[in-house]
Amino acid sequence: MSASNTTTITSIGAPNRRNTELALLVFAVAIPVFAYANVGLAKNGSVPAGLLGYGVGLGLLATVTHLLVRKFAPYADPLMLPIATLLNGLGLVLIWRLDQEPSLGAAMAPKQLMWSTFGVVLFVLVLVFIKDHRILQRYTYISMVLALVLLVLPVFFPPVYGARIWITLPGIGSLQPGEFAKIIITVFFAGYLMVKRDALALASRRVMGLYLPRGRDLGPILVIWAVSLLILVFETDLGTSLLFFGLFVIMLYVATERTSWIVFGLLLSSAGAVAVASSEPHVKTRVQDWLHPLALQNGAVTETAQARYAFGSGGLFGSGLGQGYSRLIHGIAPKSDYILATVGEELGLAGLMAVLLLYGLLIERGIRTALAARDPFGKLLAIGLSGGFALQVFVVAGGVTGLIPLTGMTMPFMAQGGSSVIANWALVAILLRISDTARRPAPSPAPSPDAEATQVVRNQ
Amino acid sequence: MNKPLRRVAVFCGLLVLALLVRVNYVQFVQADQLSNDPHNRRVAINQYAQPRGDIIVDGKAVTGHAETNGSDFKYKRTYTDGPMWAPVTGHASQVYGTTMLEGVEDEFLTGDDDRLFFNRTIDLLTGKQRQGGNVVTTLNAKAQKAAFDGLGNKKGAVVALDPRTGAILAMASTPSYDPSGIAGYSTTDEKNWIALDKKNDPNDPSLNRALRQTYPPGSTFKLVTAAAALESGKVTDIDGKTTSPDPYTLPGTTVPLKNEGHIQCKDTSLRNALRQSCNTVFGKLGADIGLQGMVDEAEKFGFNEKQFVPVRADASNFDTKMSPDQVAQSSIGQFDTAATPLQMAMVASAIANNGVLMQPYEVEKLEAPNLSTISQTDPKPMSKPLTPENAQKLQSMMETVVTEGTGKNAKIPGVRVGGKTGTAQHGINNDKAPYAWFVSYAMTDQGSPVAVAVVVEDGSANRDDISGGGLAAPIAKSVMEAVLNK
C-alpha cells in the first residue's frame, strides 16, 4: 500500500465507483428491512404492518442520497455511505425492537427515524453547499469559539443520568452538544495545526531522546488537557474528555510527525485520569463496576452485570432478533449506550463482530481518505474525524463489553439520540467531500506548498 | 504527513482488534459461565419457557402446568393433591426455586438434560415446542392417601417401602403445604411463601419430615439391637432366658435403667423382651455387644450416612464414640440416637426381606416426552444386616409383638404382620410430648410387599409404649392394607 495508489496522481480517469456504491446501498437497505420483518415475526408472529412503508422510505432516502452524491461528489468513497446507511438502519431496527418491550418506556424509533432523516438532510446540505472542504479552513477561530461554547453549555443544565452532557431546550427536547463540538473542534484543530505545524515540529530541543517542545508551543496542549479535565470534572463526562484529548494528540502527532507529543499526551492524560478517577465519585463507581462487573449492589444485579449476561447469553450466534432479554438492562440505557448488548445477545458474537467490522471499515475508509487527501488541512480534518470516530467506537464498545470502564457516550449511528445521529451524518458528509476532492481526477491546486501537492503539479 | 497517518491507521486497527478480541472473550470464552450464572435471569426464564415435564404416580401425573401472563415466565407449575404429594414432588416456583424431585430432576423436567439431547434436536427440526421429560415415581397412590389421611391433622410422617426392591411406596409428611400456592409470581404466591416460613409457622409445613427430620427412635431401635444380638451370637435362642436384672444399673454408673409400666422383664427371653419392650434387657444387651458391634450393625442398616433416593435424606445418627452406659441407653433408642422415618422403614424392610437391605428409591424411571424410557432404576441391594435365619427369628419376634404384644392395633386378618412400637421421650428431662413410633411389615407368600415406618410427633399424654401402638399403628395398618389390597 504505497501513497501513490491512494492518491489520484496516477489515476486520471479512474472509475468513480458510483455503481459499486449503488449495489452496496441496495444491500444496506435490504438487510435492515429483512431484520425488521424478522423482529416482527419473532415478537408478534407476523410481518410488521409498516414493513412496506418503512422499506420504501429507507430505500427512497438512500436513493436520493445516492443521486445527490452522484451529482455533487461523484468521486467520493463508495463505501462510506452504504456503511452509514446500514448501521443507521440496523440501529433503527434495534430501537424498534426494544420499543416492543413495555418495560423500557415510550417508543423511540419514530423519533429516531425523524432524527435520521434530519441527519441525512444535513448530509445532503453539507455535500451541496460545501463544494470544497477547504472552505472550512476560513472558520478556524470561529470554530474554536463555537466548540468551546458548545462544550461549556451543558454545565448550566441539570445532570441527566449522572452526567452533564445535555442541554434541554423547551419544545425541541434535549441535545448533546458534545457530538457537534466533536466535529467543530476537529475543524479548528485542523486549521490551527496546519498553520502552526512547522513551529511545533521544528522549534524544539532534544532532551533524553525526546524532542521537548518549547513552552509556548506546549501551551495549547496544556490548555486542551485542562479543558478536557474541566469537562470531566464539571460535566462528569469521561467519554467526551477522553475523546477530545485523544483527538488532539492524534492530530498533533500527524501534523508535527513528532512522537514526543504522544508521550506527553499519554503522560498528561494518564495523570489526569488517575487524579479524577480517585476523586470523582461518579467515575470511581464506574471503575469499581468495571473491576467487579458481576458484583451485586444492595443484593441486586447491576446494569453492568445485566449487560455482561446479555453478551454471554448471546453466545456465538445469538438468540435471534427479538428473542433476547436485553430488556433486563433497565431504564433508557438499552436503547442508547447499551444497544450493543442487544446486538450481542440477539445477533450473537457473529453479528457483533460484523457490526464492529463495519465500524472498522468506516474508520479505515476515513483514514484512507486522509492518506489520499492532497492538502494538509484535508488530511488533518479527515484523520481527526476518523480518529475521533474510532476513539468513540472504542470507548463505547469497550465500555459496554467491559474492556475499559464504562463512559457515557453513544454508539455512532446505532444508538438512540438525535444529536448523535445528525452529527455523525454530517461527519460522514465531510469525509465524503474530502474523499471526493482527493479522488477527483483533475485536482484543483492546493493552497499550501505541501510536498505531495507539488508532486501533483509536476505530474500534470 | 503520510507516515504518522499510517501509524494512526495501525493504532485505530489495534483499537478495533482489541474490541474484536474482547467480544470473543466475553461471548465465547466466558459465555457458558455468564449464561448459566444464577443471577442471570435468563436461566429462570428459560426454565419456565416451556411446560415442565410431569411427575407421575401410578400412571397419572400429579403435576401440571398453567400459562401465565404478565411476567417473564410463561408457564407455571400446578399440582394435583399438592399437600399430599408435596414431600415427594417438592415445589417448582418461578421465584423460590425448586426442591425435592422437582429440584433433583430439574434438568430432566425442563428438558435441559443431556440425555434429552436427541429429543430436543428432533423437536427443533420438526418445529415442535421443546418439552421436558417425565419422572415416573415408584409411589403407590392408595398407600400415599392412606398415609396422608391417617396422619390427618397430627404432626408426623410416614414412609412405606417395598422390602423386596427398596421402592418407596408412600412418603407423607404433615402438616403439609400446597406447592401450587407458591409456584407463580403473584403477590398471593409471595404471601403464601412468607406464611410458610418457619418463623411465621412454627409447624414448618414445608419440612419433609419423612426424609429431613430425625427423631429419637425410641423402642423401635430395639429391632437393631435385637439384630445385633443375634448377629453377634450373644443370643442364639430367642425363646431362651437371658441374664437381665430389673432394674439394670448402667455400666460404670449407679444410675438404674427401668422399664416403662408394670412388666416382667427379669431374665426374660428376647422374644418376650421385644413383645413387652423391655428397656432393661435391650440396654444390657447393647452394653454387652459393645460400642463397635452396635455401630457396625446400625451402619449396616444405613445409620450415619445420608441416603439419596435420589432426593437427599438426612443421615440418621448412632454415635461412634460412647461410654458403655451411653451405649446401653443408645441401644434402646435414647441418648443421641436419631433416625429419619425413612431409616426406620429401612430397618423394618431389611428384616422383612430376610436380611437383605435394598437401596431405597422413589424414581422408577425417567421418560422422554415421547414416553420412551431414558433411564430405569434397577433395585440394588445395599447391605446385609442379618443372615436369613436371624432375619426369620426377628420376624417371628416382631409378629409376636403384633399378635400378643404392644402392636395389636396393626393386626390384619389373614396376613402375617410384624411390628414394633416406640415412644420416644425428648426434651430436657423429657418435658416435651413424646414421639409415637410404629414400624412394621406385612408378609405374604411371595415375600413382604410392604414395610412401613410411622412417626407421630404429638405422641400422647400417656407415656407408655401403648401410644406408639395406639396412635401410629393404625396408620401403618391402613398403609399396609392399601398396598395389599391393590
Side-chain angles (χ1 to χ4, degrees):
Chain A
M1 186 178 62
S2 78
S4 58
N5 289 340
T6 53
T7 63
T8 50
I9 308 160
T10 56
S11 62
I12 294 169
N16 63 17
R17 300 284 183 212
R18 289 279 66 79
N19 294 333
T20 314
E21 182 182 81
L22 183 61
L24 290 174
L25 265 177
V26 171
F27 273 111
V29 172
I31 290 172
V33 170
F34 279 126
Y36 186 60
N38 190 346
V39 175
L41 284 169
K43 291 303 280 185
N44 311 317
S46 62
V47 175
L51 183 69
L52 193 69
Y54 179 82
V56 169
L58 196 66
L60 218 61
L61 219 56
T63 314
V64 171
T65 348
H66 171 70
L67 289 177
L68 284 164
V69 169
R70 235 177 226 279
K71 171 94 176 69
F72 291 100
Y75 292 95
D77 188 285
L79 248 61
M80 285 198 249
L81 180 61
I83 293 175
T85 310
L86 179 55
L87 287 173
N88 198 349
L90 276 180
L92 279 167
V93 171
L94 287 167
I95 293 166
W96 184 77
R97 177 258 169 280
L98 289 167
D99 282 347
Q100 311 303 305
E101 305 289 356
S103 66
L104 294 181
M108 287 179 169
K111 228 174 180 177
Q112 181 72 3
L113 186 60
M114 185 188 80
W115 292 124
S116 305
T117 313
F118 285 170
V120 172
V121 170
L122 186 59
F123 170 88
V124 168
L125 289 180
V126 168
L127 278 188
V128 172
F129 288 101
I130 302 181
K131 291 264 189 283
D132 189 320
H133 61 270
R134 277 163 296 191
I135 297 170
L136 293 172
Q137 207 176 332
R138 292 182 205 153
Y139 305 107
T140 303
Y141 290 96
I142 295 173
S143 302
M144 180 190 76
V145 175
L146 194 59
L148 283 179
V149 168
L150 284 175
L151 280 179
V152 173
L153 221 48
V155 176
F156 303 105
F157 290 87
V160 183
Y161 306 114
R164 279 179 202 272
I165 51 174
W166 302 84
I167 57 171
T168 31
L169 300 176
I172 297 179
S174 44
L175 282 173
Q176 225 174 324
E179 290 286 345
F180 297 100
K182 173 179 79 181
I183 298 176
I184 297 170
I185 211 161
T186 311
V187 171
F188 159 65
F189 285 160
Y192 176 82
L193 290 173
M194 195 203 73
V195 177
K196 296 282 167 121
R197 66 195 200 97
D198 288 337
L200 284 166
L202 301 173
S204 55
R205 286 163 295 162
R206 201 182 153 89
V207 177
M208 294 196 302
L210 284 176
Y211 288 97
L212 197 65
R214 294 185 303 191
R216 60 179 149 173
D217 298 326
L218 198 60
I221 198 170
L222 287 174
V223 168
I224 294 294
W225 177 68
V227 168
S228 63
L229 270 189
L230 285 177
I231 295 172
L232 183 50
V233 171
F234 286 105
E235 303 179 6
T236 55
D237 185 0
L238 189 62
T240 309
S241 49
L242 199 75
L243 173 65
F244 287 146
F245 197 68
L247 192 65
F248 188 59
V249 171
I250 288 179
M251 292 178 74
L252 207 51
Y253 169 63
V254 172
T256 59
E257 306 189 28
R258 286 272 182 266
T259 325
S260 43
W261 287 110
I262 294 185
V263 176
F264 282 118
L266 286 178
L267 284 178
L268 284 173
S269 59
S270 33
V274 167
V276 174
S278 51
S279 62
E280 186 68 39
H282 180 74
V283 179
K284 231 169 162 173
T285 328
R286 291 271 165 96
V287 173
Q288 278 308 310
D289 283 350
W290 174 59
L291 292 173
H292 312 286
L294 301 184
L296 298 181
Q297 226 167 58
N298 304 325
V301 178
T302 56
E303 249 177 33
T304 327
Q306 290 289 20
R308 206 59 63 80
Y309 291 146
F311 282 114
S313 302
L316 283 183
F317 299 109
S319 61
L321 270 172
Q323 295 172 51
Y325 297 95
S326 47
R327 63 156 181 270
L328 296 172
I329 312 164
H330 285 294
I332 183 186
K335 295 179 191 175
S336 52
D337 296 16
Y338 280 122
I339 199 148
L340 271 190
T342 305
V343 177
E345 176 166 11
E346 306 203 337
L347 298 176
L349 176 60
L352 186 54
M353 295 224 295
V355 166
L356 288 176
L357 284 174
L358 281 179
Y359 281 110
L361 209 53
L362 191 55
I363 295 160
E364 193 262 274
R365 296 315 292 185
I367 297 173
R368 203 158 251 265
T369 298
L371 280 167
R374 283 172 293 224
D375 61 305
F377 177 74
K379 272 183 185 302
L380 282 171
L381 190 54
I383 194 66
L385 292 176
S386 29
F389 192 87
L391 281 176
Q392 185 163 357
V393 169
F394 176 75
V395 164
V396 184
V400 175
T401 55
L403 183 59
I404 56 169
L406 189 76
T407 55
M409 264 165 89
T410 50
M411 201 68 199
F413 290 114
M414 291 188 99
Q416 180 270 328
S419 332
S420 168
V421 80
I422 294 178
N424 283 307
W425 271 112
L427 185 150
V428 169
I430 299 173
L431 281 177
L432 272 188
R433 169 52 68 218
I434 300 170
S435 76
D436 176 53
T437 317
R439 291 159 54 96
R440 193 169 294 174
S444 50
S448 148
D450 191 74
E452 282 107 322
T454 46
Q455 283 182 346
V456 172
V457 174
R458 188 192 62 201
N459 261 307
Q460 274 181 324
Chain B
M1 274 204 281
N2 282 352
K3 196 170 141 199
L5 271 178
R6 286 207 184 85
R7 285 193 181 147
V8 172
V10 169
F11 170 69
C12 290
L14 286 177
L15 288 186
V16 175
L17 186 69
L19 288 176
L20 290 174
V21 170
R22 176 66 190 179
V23 296
N24 270 281
Y25 179 69
V26 174
Q27 294 205 266
F28 186 71
V29 179
Q30 285 191 317
D32 248 17
Q33 183 205 342
L34 287 170
S35 59
N36 295 320
D37 190 295
H39 293 297
N40 188 345
R41 206 168 149 72
R42 289 164 190 79
V43 174
I45 291 175
N46 282 333
Q47 210 172 8
Y48 293 96
Q50 69 277 327
R52 281 168 85 81
D54 281 315
I55 295 175
I56 292 171
V57 176
D58 279 350
K60 266 190 273 178
V62 296
T63 56
H65 55 83
E67 268 196 63
T68 51
N69 294 318
S71 86
D72 291 339
F73 304 134
K74 204 165 163 206
Y75 289 97
K76 172 176 123 160
R77 194 58 141 170
T78 58
Y79 296 87
T80 323
D81 291 327
M84 181 165 98
W85 293 111
V88 179
T89 59
H91 63 252
S93 165
Q94 293 180 342
V95 184
Y96 308 110
T98 55
T99 57
M100 304 296 148
L101 277 183
E102 294 272 33
V104 175
E105 301 294 354
D106 189 41
E107 285 204 340
F108 197 81
L109 289 163
T110 54
D112 280 341
D113 196 288
D114 286 340
R115 287 170 289 181
L116 290 173
F117 176 78
F118 184 67
N119 291 81
R120 276 206 302 270
T121 315
I122 297 285
D123 284 351
L124 194 72
L125 292 176
T126 55
K128 252 182 20 187
Q129 188 186 35
R130 200 175 118 191
Q131 281 179 294
N134 295 329
V135 174
V136 180
T137 67
T138 59
L139 279 103
N140 177 320
K142 278 190 213 153
Q144 178 78 3
K145 186 160 170 45
F148 187 67
D149 290 351
L151 286 168
N153 49 19
K154 297 185 280 284
K155 203 193 272 189
V158 174
V159 172
L161 297 172
D162 183 336
R164 298 166 299 185
T165 58
I168 294 177
L169 301 172
M171 184 159 74
S173 169
T174 53
S176 191
Y177 69 106
D178 187 357
S180 297
I182 54 168
Y185 197 64
S186 69
T187 44
T188 323
D189 293 290
E190 192 186 352
K191 259 187 221 149
N192 291 338
W193 174 257
I194 292 168
L196 278 180
D197 195 315
K198 206 176 170 182
K199 276 178 280 183
N200 302 316
D201 187 344
N203 286 328
D204 202 2
S206 55
L207 172 68
N208 182 347
R209 292 176 167 75
L211 301 182
R212 303 276 169 87
Q213 179 74 2
T214 59
Y215 300 91
S219 303
T220 56
F221 191 79
K222 287 170 186 163
L223 293 172
V224 177
T225 310
L230 293 168
E231 284 293 291
S232 64
K234 287 271 183 252
V235 176
T236 44
D237 178 7
I238 55 171
D239 292 306
K241 281 194 168 193
T242 55
T243 341
S244 349
D246 183 9
Y248 165 64
T249 309
L250 290 174
T253 70
T254 53
V255 181
L257 181 68
K258 292 180 199 151
N259 292 306
E260 295 282 336
H262 305 285
I263 49 175
Q264 293 300 315
C265 291
K266 190 171 189 306
D267 297 336
T268 191
S269 67
L270 194 61
R271 182 193 295 276
N272 197 43
L274 193 74
R275 181 179 72 82
Q276 300 188 97
S277 201
C278 292
N279 290 345
T280 48
V281 176
F282 285 99
K284 178 162 189 299
L285 268 176
D288 289 352
I289 294 158
L291 176 66
Q292 199 51 50
M294 284 305 294
V295 167
D296 285 351
E297 188 64 19
E299 288 184 351
K300 275 188 204 163
F301 277 109
F303 276 82
N304 294 342
E305 202 176 331
K306 287 179 194 149
Q307 308 296 332
F308 293 88
V309 297
V311 175
R312 175 182 58 82
D314 281 358
S316 300
N317 181 61
F318 189 83
D319 282 354
T320 52
K321 280 183 189 135
M322 287 187 282
S323 57
D325 59 312
Q326 289 167 339
V327 175
Q329 287 186 61
S330 294
S331 301
I332 57 165
Q334 299 289 347
F335 194 59
D336 281 343
T337 309
T340 58
L342 172 72
Q343 174 61 63
M344 293 320 293
M346 286 160 68
V347 170
S349 78
I351 296 164
N353 196 36
N354 292 332
V356 179
L357 174 60
M358 301 299 287
Q359 181 88 47
Y361 65 98
E362 61 175 330
V363 174
E364 176 73 45
K365 59 182 176 180
L366 299 176
E367 263 180 7
N370 62 7
L371 304 184
S372 64
T373 300
I374 299 291
S375 101
Q376 172 98 34
T377 312
D378 293 319
K380 271 198 300 280
M382 190 173 142
S383 66
K384 285 181 182 154
L386 288 156
T387 61
E389 300 76 45
N390 284 338
Q392 273 149 15
K393 283 181 189 168
L394 202 43
Q395 284 168 17
S396 159
M397 286 158 60
M398 283 176 76
E399 281 154 30
T400 311
V401 171
V402 173
T403 49
E404 48 197 271
T406 53
K408 284 177 190 147
N409 282 338
K411 263 189 214 168
I412 303 174
V415 181
R416 279 170 59 203
V417 175
K420 178 74 195 88
T421 55
T423 308
Q425 294 159 344
H426 73 126
I428 299 156
N429 295 326
N430 306 333
D431 59 346
K432 293 196 184 135
Y435 298 124
W437 275 95
F438 193 74
V439 301
S440 67
Y441 65 87
M443 189 69 82
T444 65
D445 297 340
Q446 286 83 41
S448 168
V450 57
V452 194
V454 177
V455 64
V456 177
E457 279 191 33
D458 35 2
S460 83
N462 184 11
R463 293 191 173 200
D464 56 31
D465 269 342
I466 304 300
S467 65
L471 272 169
I475 303 173
K477 181 187 167 185
S478 60
V479 172
M480 290 188 291
E481 280 177 334
V483 176
L484 291 168
N485 293 347
K486 63 170 178 171

